[in-house]
Amino acid sequence: MEKGNVTSVTEFFLIGLSYYPWLQQALFVLCLVIYVVILLGNSMLIIISILDPRLHTPMYFFLGNLSFLDICYTSSFIPQMLINFMSEKKSISFIGCALQMVISLGLGCTECVLLAVMAYDRYVAICNPLRYTIIMNKGLCVQMAAWTWIIGCLNSLPQTVLAMMMPFCGNIIDHLTCEILALLKLICADISLNLFIIMVGSIVFLVMPLLLILLSYIFILSTILRINSSEGRKKAFSTCSAHLTVVILFYGSALFMYMKPKSKDTKISEELIGLSYGIITPVLNPIIYSLRNKEVKGAIEKVLFRNLYLKRI
């Protein structure tokens, strides 16, 4: 990268889609509605997984973690983005940008690992059903969930600190959020180390979990195909179809964002895909798990409708 005049930065200006004011207004309404749905939908999954004893299993424990993660992840950038959509200045403080980056990047990495953990849970449930409760005991589930959060944060912290310590040639980020790849374009120094760390992080937190998920589903599919009863095969596959759908949606957009060659200028298609990566998967997670899971639908009916009916009586 060519060196330019170093600027003392106290705030950044997020100019993503600034040349399309009509699109920003439409996205404000759309993102506001989606954010409300994310909060309500994921909160509902957390509440019913706590209140319904039938859902006190490892699968729904990890699903509760996923729902809480999606709430935290989207809350790290959507409120600020909504403000900027309706503001002329479209600024964020230096510290605010760093916090947004470390939280969103850390939680994104956490979700990658958590999806791999959920795939392992489905592998044990289908391939080793008699030992499932022994292997996936409460202590192991808590440890696995805790480590997914810890290692995600441990990955985002050095990447963010290293990026924010570099000299900047300007403070205008051509993106909707403080996204690390967009921020690196402002640095007036050699960013080879930054790119190397990001590449390693992408391999460790995107590629490796995806390979573990694929390996788990190879064993799962092999086990399902050996089930003699067609009803048994259907039931076994239905227990992991929701998770597989979420994996495809999440990794499809994530791999596009972080593993494809980067151009110097940010295209509108890249910004919209990056936005979908951040909000579409979190809003679809509770919908997918609700529509494709009889236990969740039954728990929703029991916790919400029956309790409301009793209160009215």
Side-chain angles (χ1 to χ4, degrees):
M1 180 179 290
E2 296 182 359
K3 293 185 178 181
N5 296 326
V6 178
T7 303
S8 178
V9 176
T10 59
E11 64 179 355
F12 292 99
F13 294 92
L14 303 169
I15 64 167
L17 302 180
S18 293
Y19 299 107
Y20 307 92
W22 61 270
L23 182 57
Q24 284 195 335
Q25 294 173 5
L27 285 175
F28 173 84
V29 177
L30 179 63
C31 290
L32 179 59
V33 172
I34 289 177
Y35 183 53
V36 172
V37 174
I38 289 172
L39 295 179
L40 294 177
N42 286 285
S43 297
M44 180 190 67
L45 276 181
I46 295 172
I47 292 171
I48 64 172
S49 65
I50 293 173
L51 295 180
D52 194 326
R54 295 176 301 175
L55 303 185
H56 292 176
T57 63
M59 174 181 174
Y60 296 104
F61 170 74
F62 292 125
L63 178 57
N65 273 265
L66 180 63
S67 295
F68 181 66
L69 187 151
D70 285 338
I71 291 174
C72 296
Y73 176 69
T74 52
S75 297
S76 69
F77 68 91
I78 289 184
Q80 180 66 47
M81 186 174 65
L82 292 175
I83 293 173
N84 287 344
F85 276 153
M86 304 306 292
S87 172
E88 293 184 3
K89 192 176 181 182
K90 304 183 188 302
S91 64
I92 185 172
S93 67
F94 184 89
I95 298 298
C97 183
L99 287 174
Q100 186 181 95
M101 194 184 307
V102 72
I103 293 172
S104 60
L105 181 59
L107 295 181
C109 295
T110 298
E111 182 156 354
C112 293
V113 181
L114 184 58
L115 289 174
V117 170
M118 295 174 73
Y120 175 73
D121 171 70
R122 293 298 83 207
Y123 158 75
V124 177
I126 295 175
C127 300
N128 295 282
L130 298 179
R131 300 181 59 203
Y132 177 65
T133 56
I134 299 174
I135 297 174
M136 299 301 294
N137 57 75
K138 184 177 180 180
L140 179 62
C141 291
V142 171
Q143 290 181 34
M144 293 174 75
W147 277 109
T148 60
W149 290 83
I150 292 171
I151 62 179
C153 294
L154 290 178
N155 174 65
S156 67
L157 190 59
Q159 289 192 32
T160 302
V161 171
L162 182 61
M164 302 307 282
M165 290 177 60
M166 301 292 278
F168 293 97
C169 294
N171 61 347
I172 299 177
I173 301 176
D174 189 13
H175 208 275
L176 295 170
T177 63
C178 283
E179 204 270 339
I180 190 167
L181 295 176
L183 186 74
L184 291 180
K185 298 176 182 179
L186 304 180
I187 294 177
C188 299
D190 183 18
I191 58 172
S192 300
L193 179 59
N194 302 74
L195 295 176
F196 175 75
I197 293 176
I198 292 174
M199 182 187 69
V200 172
S202 298
I203 293 173
V204 172
F205 289 95
L206 276 176
V207 178
M208 289 182 63
L210 181 58
L211 292 177
L212 291 175
I213 292 171
L214 293 175
L215 184 62
S216 297
Y217 275 102
I218 288 173
F219 286 112
I220 289 172
L221 182 61
S222 176
T223 301
I224 291 176
L225 292 176
R226 291 200 301 268
I227 299 175
N228 295 325
S229 168
S230 60
E231 185 66 25
R233 289 195 297 269
K234 182 180 179 180
K235 183 178 180 180
F237 185 76
S238 66
T239 62
C240 54
S241 60
H243 174 260
L244 188 59
T245 304
V246 170
V247 167
I248 293 171
L249 289 172
F250 179 82
Y251 274 97
S253 54
L255 288 172
F256 178 88
M257 286 298 298
Y258 289 96
M259 300 301 290
K260 75 178 185 62
K262 294 296 169 183
S263 59
K264 183 176 180 182
D265 299 320
T266 302
K267 298 179 181 179
I268 183 173
S269 60
E270 293 181 2
E271 294 191 43
L272 293 177
I273 291 175
L275 183 61
S276 68
Y277 160 72
I279 66 173
I280 298 301
T281 304
V283 77
L284 289 180
N285 283 352
I287 297 174
I288 292 170
Y289 277 101
S290 298
L291 294 178
R292 301 185 66 88
N293 194 303
K294 293 181 180 179
E295 292 179 328
V296 173
K297 287 190 287 187
I300 293 173
E301 180 182 354
K302 177 183 177 181
V303 173
L304 295 182
F305 297 108
R306 291 184 184 177
N307 287 350
L308 288 174
Y309 177 74
L310 290 174
K311 286 181 180 179
R312 287 176 183 175
I313 295 176

